[in-house]
Amino acid sequence: MESLLILHAVAAVCAPWLARRIGGRRALPVLALAPAAGFGYTVWLGLSGRVPAEEVTRWAPSMGLALAFRADALAMLMMALVTGVGVLVLVYSARYFSADDEGLGRYGGVMVAFAGSMLGLVTADDLLLLYVFWELTTVFSYLLIGHDPESRMSRQAAMKALTVTTFGGLAMLAGFVLVGAAAGTYRISEVGPGDVGPAAVALILTGALAKSAVFPFSSWLPAAMAAPTPVSAYLHAAAMVKAGVYLVARLGPAAGDLTEWRAPAVALGLLTMVLGGWRALRESDLKRLLAYGTVSQLGFLTALFGYGTRGAALAGVGMLLAHALFKAALFLLVGVIDHAAGTRDLRELSGLGRSMPWVCAAAVLAGASMAGVPPLAGFVGKEAAFEALSGAPWPLAGVVAGSALTAAYTLRFLWGAFAAKPGVEGRPVERPAAATFVPAALLAALGLVLVPFSSWYGHAMETGYAAFFRDPGHAAHLAVWSGVGLPLLLSAVALAGGVALFLVREPVARMGARLHLVDSGQAYWALIRRLDRLAIQVTGVIQRGSVPDYLVLALLATIGVGVFSVTYGGTPSLVSPVVWWERPEQLVVALLTIAAAVVALFARASIFLAVIVGFTGYGTALLFLVHGAPDLALTQFLAETLSLVIFALVLRRLPIDPASGRLALPLRAALGLAVAVVAIGAGMEAKNARSAAPVGGLMEAASREAGIANIVSAVILDIRAWDTLGESSVLIVLTLGVTSLVFLRRRSYAIERGEPPPAERTHWLASARPAGKRQVPFEIAARLTFHTVLLLSVFLLFIGHSGVGGGFAGGIVAGLAITVRYLAGGRSELAVALPVHAGVLMGVGLTLSAGTALIGLLAGQAALDMLATDVTLPVLGHVHLSTGLLFDIGVYLSVIGMVQDVLRGLGAELDRQIDAGEGAETDARAGAGEEG
């Protein structure tokens, strides 16, 4: 299953390139090979009898996290729908879009990525992994719904879907955490009946209902009809909206018999079924009519799976399959009608049944299944639902009413699309392409072809899924004929009620319009506007543009955490032996550092304050050194030096005069002392609260196992490699964000090199500052030391495994060498010294670091497991090779890229702004002189 996900990812990444090579429309059937492989794998699993199939790759064993996938009967049903319908939709899309449509490569890539995300979601056997794929489907659905970036309606619909489903996803994540804490595991197959508490039920149902557009989260789905029709057929019939229903079905065996689960799921599901069906009766847009019908059917499915009995679960899987087939077919047929007739407004369509008989036949077949007409798949599922709910009068009455509405809006759809209407002229239609008609017709036909296999399908789903529900409930079975009884009678009543509602469709539509008191879309945007205003007000109070204010808030929050811990956590244990110093130089360095900190309190000029604060950093580095931690000391020295350079670059744009309005000294001192007390107390409390043996004793053995003589490097590159990778990613994002704030224009790929140097070389560097600003000694020093310092950085990179150094230290040293070149020669010299784009360096570096995770997985080990080997080479002799070095090279390149980006933003760009300001000022003076 992992290989299938990788195949989808590769296909998605290659989609834009493939579209450019062979054309956008031709690329879509090729991209369909990825979900086709998934469908083939699903069929092979079913025929081979290897169900349930499990694949587990442990990627963080110490945290109990794993890439766990499991394909049981329910997962295989969803896999078949996701991959099978995905193939047909991509083939359909190849003729639905015009050859000159833009963005087809992006569309195909996102569609395949969505299919892969859904495939991962339905096969994930880990709650956290399921959440990852859940949010991926949210992101990709946002991109698909907003496929047309020039359409405001598409953008708003995409944002609405993203907001609602993300809100539900975050609530669901909190519920997953509660379930994992109670069960002691995040493996879904190991979650038991007592592991899902009331709070977890409420949070998980919020996520599921929001994803499946169940009331009160229904409004985003009709709005999403702004998406292209193939997107609606896939996301809103067979895939995305089924995710919430799937989650309810998946957790049903563990939580289905809980009142906290059953009551809201059934009540909200039936309410959604009725409200969605009622609203569909007055829609004139065929696509929106189907959208509200989908909302209704999703409520039906939620009620069945939420009911929590074996019979209802069996009816649910029957309806799940039937709904995907008939609803996807109908959506695709709406696209055919829209292309052929130029509209999908049923008030403007007339006589298409005669001009498009095959399209009409396919629509009638799919619509009959949706209405529950025998002998189609929809009838089989609905009969089983009536049978399963026969012991519950109110739910049964709700399903019958919803089914009558379903039959009514089905008739409205077929009448509106194909009937000859008096007073409405027929429209000329174009013959539909086979690639658009065949997928829809195939899905519609499957609703009839699969019916003879209902009993076999029911037996497989009962033994592989429904049998795990603890409450048997009223027995139900899937069969095309169950005999004359209550289910058949209720089916007849529902169909008769639907026909009656259709015959009085105009009065019903008028009544629905009069009863429509609250528009859910308007209510949603009103809520969003109020949230925006509240955010603006809160931002105005907190975000005042003052860094000292932000720092005070952060420090007060730290103090607040300490006070809260003491107030509600009891008296802390602060008993700890204190050794004031072990060597006299420690006392000397500590006193000098404290003295620098005290002087900083009275410093007024910003540049002087930056230097004094730098002294405290150097003092901390000396303390590391005298404590026997040369790696930490070296890193601190280098980072502090680079920080001073950055301070100097930024301070060029700040006033030289001391800042006014600073906090009073007593207040600053009190705040600093309070934070110090909290920090020291937290450290002492953490030390005394230790219950396990310190991990430091295990590091020596771990470093030997990794083949690294330097324990610090072993911690960074192997033992805590995930931390290092995460910190590198955060630093890169932070660097890009901060430097982007400086650019007042679009960031160009390369830094402008300014005026070309004169033909006769008169300077030491490739470029030089303007006359009057040159510093020749600095240029000479930069010229003589640059290459030596670069070699030193490479030496630190390679020596880090056995001595003091590493990728981070080496990267800072290389960055300082580049900084010296920039300070000596200006922004043009920076462009010459490092002609590679900063984003390329950071991207390559992060890719190398993250790639080591894949190396471990490909070798059959956990992700980021460092592989090592010893080889003997002819000239070099014994050489120790490790993927840790590749990881370290990635860190090295990332750091250089970050330094370059800082120099581009805070150095070269500020230089350009200063030069532009001086030039404008000179021009203004010259203009004033001419006027005088």
Side-chain angles (χ1 to χ4, degrees):
M1 282 174 270
E2 290 179 10
S3 58
L4 287 175
L5 298 179
I6 294 173
L7 175 62
H8 281 78
V10 171
V13 171
C14 295
W17 171 84
L18 186 64
R20 288 193 299 268
R21 294 285 296 179
I22 65 175
R25 295 207 306 180
R26 293 179 180 177
L28 295 177
V30 177
L31 294 173
L33 294 176
F39 185 78
Y41 174 75
T42 305
V43 173
W44 174 79
L45 271 183
L47 295 178
S48 64
R50 301 184 180 184
V51 180
E54 295 187 3
E55 290 183 13
V56 180
T57 301
R58 303 190 181 279
W59 61 280
S62 60
M63 300 175 63
L65 300 179
L67 299 175
F69 298 94
R70 188 171 187 267
D72 60 1
L74 179 63
M76 285 186 59
L77 168 61
M78 290 299 298
M79 289 169 64
L81 295 179
V82 168
T83 57
V85 177
V87 171
L88 296 177
V89 167
L90 282 170
V91 173
Y92 175 95
S93 300
R95 299 298 296 174
Y96 175 84
F97 293 102
S98 302
D100 56 351
D101 280 347
E102 297 181 358
L104 290 184
R106 182 183 72 251
Y107 166 84
V110 176
M111 184 68 83
V112 173
F114 178 85
S117 301
M118 276 299 303
L119 186 61
L121 189 154
V122 300
T123 56
D125 192 34
D126 184 276
L127 289 172
L128 298 182
L129 184 63
L130 186 149
Y131 172 75
V132 171
F133 287 114
W134 184 282
E135 291 305 316
L136 285 176
T137 61
T138 297
V139 172
F140 293 132
S141 67
Y142 166 79
L143 297 175
L144 288 171
I145 295 172
H147 172 69
D148 183 4
E150 297 180 357
S151 170
R152 182 184 179 192
M153 184 179 297
S154 295
R155 296 196 305 270
Q156 288 183 339
M159 182 57 68
K160 188 175 185 178
L162 179 69
T163 303
V164 174
T165 55
T166 300
F167 164 77
L170 291 175
M172 182 191 71
L173 175 62
F176 283 172
V177 172
L178 293 178
V179 172
T185 178
Y186 287 99
R187 293 289 297 274
I188 300 175
S189 56
E190 298 176 8
V191 173
D195 299 330
V196 186
V201 165
L203 293 168
I204 292 173
L205 279 181
T206 299
L209 299 183
K211 196 76 164 183
S212 288
V214 175
F215 183 87
F217 306 106
S218 305
S219 64
W220 71 264
L221 180 55
M225 293 303 105
T229 297
V231 173
S232 301
Y234 192 41
L235 272 65
H236 308 137
M240 176 184 171
V241 293
K242 291 292 197 304
V245 172
Y246 167 78
L247 182 61
V248 175
R250 173 56 68 197
L251 296 180
D257 58 344
L258 297 176
T259 303
E260 297 88 347
W261 178 276
R262 179 177 295 178
V266 174
L268 292 176
L270 293 178
L271 179 63
T272 304
M273 184 182 187
V274 173
L275 292 178
W278 178 258
R279 178 58 189 270
L281 292 180
R282 59 187 181 91
E283 284 296 329
S284 56
D285 185 305
L286 293 178
K287 198 174 177 184
R288 285 180 61 85
L289 189 155
L290 290 180
Y292 282 105
T294 301
V295 170
S296 176
Q297 293 293 302
L298 290 172
F300 182 25
L301 291 170
T302 301
L304 287 177
F305 286 113
Y307 193 66
T309 66
R310 296 174 191 169
L314 186 62
V317 293
M319 278 304 304
L320 188 66
L321 174 60
H323 177 263
L325 296 177
F326 63 66
K327 193 56 65 72
L330 290 173
F331 269 118
L332 295 179
L333 290 172
V334 168
V336 173
I337 294 171
D338 193 9
H339 268 210
T343 182
R344 55 177 191 249
D345 191 332
L346 58 82
R347 295 168 298 186
E348 300 176 8
L349 296 172
S350 179
L352 291 188
R354 291 191 300 269
S355 56
M356 304 176 68
W358 289 106
V359 174
C360 179
V364 169
L365 193 60
S369 181
M370 181 166 66
V373 176
L376 297 166
F379 169 78
V380 173
K382 203 161 289 186
E383 284 271 291
F386 290 148
E387 190 175 9
L389 299 176
S390 58
W394 287 109
L396 182 62
V399 171
V400 173
S403 299
L405 292 170
T406 302
Y409 67 69
T410 300
L411 291 172
R412 178 177 176 83
F413 174 86
L414 297 174
W415 166 80
F418 300 103
K421 304 180 185 69
V424 180
E425 295 184 5
R427 300 173 69 94
V429 297
E430 300 177 3
R431 182 178 181 181
T436 58
F437 171 71
V438 172
L442 177 60
L443 289 170
L446 285 175
L448 176 63
V449 173
L450 295 179
V451 168
F453 304 96
S454 299
S455 298
W456 173 85
Y457 172 73
H459 175 73
M461 296 305 297
E462 184 173 9
T463 57
Y465 167 64
F468 295 99
F469 282 77
R470 290 177 295 168
D471 185 356
H474 198 285
H477 59 281
L478 299 176
V480 67
W481 177 251
S482 301
V484 178
L486 180 62
L488 184 62
L489 175 62
L490 294 178
S491 295
V493 170
L495 291 174
V499 172
L501 287 172
F502 171 72
L503 294 177
V504 292
R505 55 188 176 275
E506 296 302 330
V508 167
R510 288 193 295 269
M511 181 186 301
R514 285 195 297 268
L515 294 177
H516 187 63
L517 303 178
V518 179
D519 186 281
S520 58
Q522 293 180 358
Y524 167 80
W525 289 114
L527 176 61
I528 293 298
R529 285 192 294 270
R530 288 189 175 90
L531 288 175
D532 286 342
R533 286 196 293 267
L534 177 61
I536 292 172
Q537 293 171 356
V538 173
T539 302
V541 174
I542 298 176
Q543 301 288 333
R544 308 183 66 87
S546 171
V547 175
D549 287 351
Y550 300 156
L551 184 58
V552 167
L553 288 175
L555 296 179
L556 288 175
T558 302
I559 297 171
V561 170
V563 172
F564 179 84
S565 301
V566 172
T567 303
Y568 294 96
T571 304
S573 175
L574 302 180
V575 179
S576 180
V578 177
V579 179
W580 292 103
W581 64 80
E582 296 176 344
R583 301 166 59 181
E585 54 267 35
Q586 293 175 336
L587 177 61
V588 175
V589 174
L591 291 176
L592 291 175
T593 303
I594 294 172
V598 172
V599 171
L601 292 175
F602 301 94
R604 302 293 293 171
S606 298
I607 187 66
F608 178 65
L609 180 59
V611 173
I612 293 299
V613 172
F615 283 163
T616 63
Y618 287 127
T620 304
L622 288 174
L623 284 176
F624 289 152
L625 185 62
V626 298
H627 272 80
D631 284 273
L632 293 178
L634 175 64
T635 304
Q636 178 69 22
F637 271 119
L638 296 172
E640 198 64 46
T641 303
L642 186 60
S643 299
L644 277 175
V645 173
I646 295 173
F647 271 127
L649 294 175
V650 174
L651 290 175
R652 294 179 302 163
R653 297 291 281 172
L654 296 179
I656 299 177
D657 297 332
S660 60
R662 296 171 63 177
L663 295 175
L665 177 60
L667 182 58
R668 285 183 283 145
L671 192 62
L673 289 174
V675 172
V677 169
V678 171
I680 295 173
M684 298 174 68
E685 174 69 14
K687 180 180 178 182
N688 293 327
R690 184 191 298 276
S691 59
V695 72
L698 306 175
M699 289 184 180
E700 184 177 357
S703 62
R704 284 199 304 268
E705 181 181 350
I708 302 175
N710 186 350
I711 292 181
V712 175
S713 295
V715 172
I716 295 174
L717 302 179
D718 192 286
I719 301 172
R720 302 299 297 271
W722 280 111
D723 288 351
T724 305
L725 182 60
E727 291 162 3
S728 300
S729 304
V730 171
L731 283 175
I732 288 174
V733 173
L734 181 62
T735 301
L736 293 173
V738 171
T739 55
S740 296
L741 295 176
V742 179
F743 283 83
L744 304 179
R745 59 198 178 118
R746 183 178 179 181
R747 301 180 65 172
S748 57
Y749 181 82
I751 304 168
E752 297 90 338
R753 303 194 178 195
E755 296 295 330
E760 180 182 357
R761 188 181 183 92
T762 60
H763 44 81
W764 285 79
L765 300 175
S767 180
R769 292 185 178 274
K773 295 184 178 181
R774 292 184 58 187
Q775 299 177 8
V776 177
F778 204 2
E779 293 181 15
I780 297 173
R783 175 69 179 272
L784 295 178
T785 61
F786 178 72
H787 300 91
T788 303
V789 176
L790 282 184
L791 287 175
L792 175 62
S793 73
V794 175
F795 171 78
L796 290 174
L797 167 64
F798 285 95
I799 201 64
H801 280 58
S802 57
V804 177
F808 188 77
I812 294 182
V813 170
L816 289 174
I818 298 167
T819 303
V820 171
R821 285 280 296 269
Y822 159 71
L823 294 175
R827 69 177 188 271
S828 300
E829 184 65 21
L830 177 60
V832 176
L834 197 61
V836 183
H837 191 264
V840 174
L841 287 174
M842 289 186 283
V844 171
L846 191 59
T847 301
L848 285 176
S849 298
T852 55
L854 296 178
I855 294 177
L857 292 175
L858 293 176
Q861 301 183 24
L864 283 179
D865 265 4
M866 300 300 170
L867 308 181
T869 184
D870 294 289
V871 297
T872 301
L873 300 178
V875 178
L876 301 177
H878 178 267
V879 177
H880 178 78
L881 299 177
S882 170
T883 54
L885 178 60
L886 184 64
F887 187 93
D888 223 8
I889 292 174
V891 174
Y892 177 83
L893 293 176
S894 298
V895 172
I896 295 177
M898 285 186 279
V899 173
Q900 185 202 10
D901 204 43
V902 169
L903 294 177
R904 276 178 8 106
L906 304 181
E909 177 64 13
L910 290 184
D911 287 344
R912 188 198 65 80
Q913 295 177 16
I914 292 172
D915 293 342
E918 293 177 349
E921 186 176 341
T922 302
D923 294 341
R925 284 199 297 266
E930 291 178 1
E931 291 178 1

